[in-house]
Amino acid sequence: MAILKIARMGHPVLRCRAEPVADPRAPEIARLVEDMLETMEDAGGTGLAAPQVHVPLRLVVFFVSGRRAAAEAESGQEGSAVPLTVLINPEIEHLTPETALGPEACLSVPGLIGQVPRTTRIRYRGLSLEGKVLEREAEGFHARVVQHECDHLDGILYPQRMTDLSSLAFTSEIGRAPQDAPPMEEELAENHGE
Ligand code: NI
């Protein structure tokens, strides 16, 4: 296992369309996932896509913590914890035209946070490391994190999805106002860093 270097905005690997994984059960894919999980944990992220670690393949890892799900439920939204998930060659189907704004951060765009519109209800499908089909419906933060990570596979970073760039800010300037939800991908790193 190894902690991998994370590509930052501007690196070409983050701008290209990633290639499908030919064999999800190949040993090098299992090794890549192990390293991505270690890297995500080290960085305090809630999701990571292979291009972020300089591997242009269609593979993402993510989870939704119980703490995050509880906070979502408390604010009256749909929210449930999601176990650590490896999703290979994912496809997303939008189940509603409805979108919602929510805060996002990205390990490839360190130090920043912005309000991003995302579809509120999706169905996603992909393969597991065992090569089995994994299909789920997702709402709220779960739907948001999957859309964010899958965008990485098409060379899209969250600022490109923003409709109002005036909400793009350095997290260190936000001052942790109580109404600000913790950003995704970097929530732990930001809280415990510096
Ligand atoms: Ni990201």
Side-chain angles (χ1 to χ4, degrees):
M1 302 243 300
I3 292 170
L4 305 171
K5 189 175 179 196
I6 296 175
R8 294 185 302 167
M9 182 165 62
H11 194 291
V13 74
L14 295 174
R15 283 201 291 259
C16 65
R17 188 178 158 82
E19 293 292 323
V21 173
D23 178 8
R25 300 180 355 165
E28 62 266 26
I29 296 300
R31 266 198 304 275
L32 170 64
V33 166
E34 271 187 29
D35 289 346
M36 283 175 63
L37 294 177
E38 191 175 6
T39 303
M40 180 172 76
E41 190 185 351
D42 176 69
T46 193
L48 191 67
Q52 290 184 277
V53 292
H54 305 83
V55 178
L57 288 175
R58 304 189 78 77
L59 188 162
V60 303
V61 299
F62 62 90
F63 69 98
V64 178
S65 70
R67 186 170 62 86
R68 163 84 63 183
E72 219 179 358
E74 213 165 83
S75 65
Q77 298 162 287
E78 294 295 330
S80 52
V82 180
L84 199 54
T85 300
V86 178
L87 194 60
I88 297 169
N89 300 339
E91 285 167 39
I92 291 178
E93 184 186 342
H94 295 248
L95 298 178
T96 171
E98 188 189 320
T99 61
L101 277 177
E104 294 188 20
C106 181
L107 295 171
S108 295
V109 192
L112 291 172
I113 179 171
Q115 295 288 328
V116 185
R118 296 285 186 188
T119 300
T120 54
R121 207 156 59 81
I122 62 168
R123 179 182 296 126
Y124 63 88
R125 187 183 315 189
L127 297 173
S128 69
L129 270 180
E130 293 76 40
K132 297 212 172 86
V133 174
L134 173 68
E135 184 179 311
R136 290 181 188 149
E137 287 191 16
E139 297 180 275
F141 184 79
H142 181 193
R144 178 174 297 279
V145 71
V146 170
Q147 289 172 83
H148 175 117
E149 299 311 330
C150 290
D151 262 357
H152 280 297
L153 307 181
D154 293 327
I156 297 168
L157 298 174
Y158 78 81
Q160 293 163 255
R161 293 289 191 194
M162 291 177 67
T163 47
D164 179 2
L165 281 172
S166 71
S167 76
L168 189 62
F170 286 101
T171 49
S172 54
E173 299 290 357
I174 287 182
R176 297 275 152 218
Q179 70 269 23
D180 293 328
M184 62 190 292
E185 273 202 7
E186 285 193 277
E187 52 177 331
L188 300 172
E190 287 298 325
N191 288 341
H192 299 305
E194 295 169 354

